[in-house]
Amino acid sequence: MNTNSAAPSSKSRAGSSQSSETSFKRKRGVFQKELQHMMYGFGDDPNPLPESVALVEDIVVEYITDLVHKAQDIGSKRGKISVEDFLYLIRKVPQLDLPKLNRCTELLSMNEELKQARKVFESDEEKLRKVFEADEEN
């Protein structure tokens, strides 16, 4: 009788252990400070309960992990994951999430602008160094 009752519980543990195994593999509390600030920015208490922060962290990590796995499935046809795979997921799966898509596009364009500005700054810095070195030689 014990073996019959143990079998269903071990099956239910096996099903639930998959999600708990992934949470044990990662280091908990990595995003705690950032999530506390975000939660406060969205109207929560300045010092939310640790349980609330842990729950939000679990949800966020699960969402991102799921998104990366889906992008990996899409990108596996080409052999690599690209930004376009993530944009496709946000645009198409399961339905269009326009605010999220717009925010992603905005952040990507700002990132590109920052890269260009750094490149210009580094080249200007190199030119200035050459000018100063030439002045010091004369």
Side-chain angles (χ1 to χ4, degrees):
M1 191 162 179
N2 287 343
T3 56
N4 289 341
S5 64
S9 65
S10 65
K11 285 183 181 177
S12 64
R13 284 184 199 150
S16 66
S17 69
Q18 185 180 11
S19 62
S20 63
E21 280 180 32
T22 56
S23 63
F24 286 125
K25 289 180 183 176
R26 71 178 179 85
K27 193 174 181 182
R28 292 182 154 263
V30 174
F31 306 109
Q32 182 178 7
K33 207 51 138 170
E34 293 83 359
L35 287 172
Q36 284 178 338
H37 293 303
M38 289 175 70
M39 290 169 70
Y40 177 63
F42 281 101
D44 202 341
D45 190 71
N47 296 310
L49 294 173
E51 295 86 2
S52 298
V53 177
L55 176 64
V56 171
E57 182 180 27
D58 287 343
I59 292 169
V60 168
V61 168
E62 182 180 333
Y63 172 77
I64 292 172
T65 303
D66 184 48
L67 193 65
V68 169
H69 286 168
K70 288 178 182 176
Q72 190 174 18
D73 290 342
I74 293 170
S76 67
K77 296 170 188 159
R78 290 186 316 275
K80 64 179 182 176
I81 299 175
S82 69
V83 173
E84 286 74 27
D85 296 330
F86 290 99
L87 293 175
Y88 172 80
L89 286 171
I90 293 169
R91 196 171 49 247
K92 298 288 183 184
V93 177
Q95 62 186 12
L96 174 65
D97 191 346
L98 196 58
K100 197 181 298 178
L101 181 64
N102 289 337
R103 181 65 175 153
C104 287
T105 310
E106 178 186 0
L107 289 172
L108 286 168
S109 67
M110 284 194 310
N111 187 42
E112 193 59 39
E113 288 176 26
L114 286 172
K115 284 181 185 177
Q116 295 298 326
R118 282 188 200 109
K119 190 185 292 184
V120 168
F121 180 75
E122 288 171 0
S123 67
D124 288 348
E125 192 176 68
E126 182 68 27
K127 288 177 187 175
L128 284 174
R129 187 166 13 105
K130 288 180 181 178
V131 168
F132 283 125
E133 288 173 359
D135 285 346
E136 288 177 359
E137 291 175 2
N138 293 333

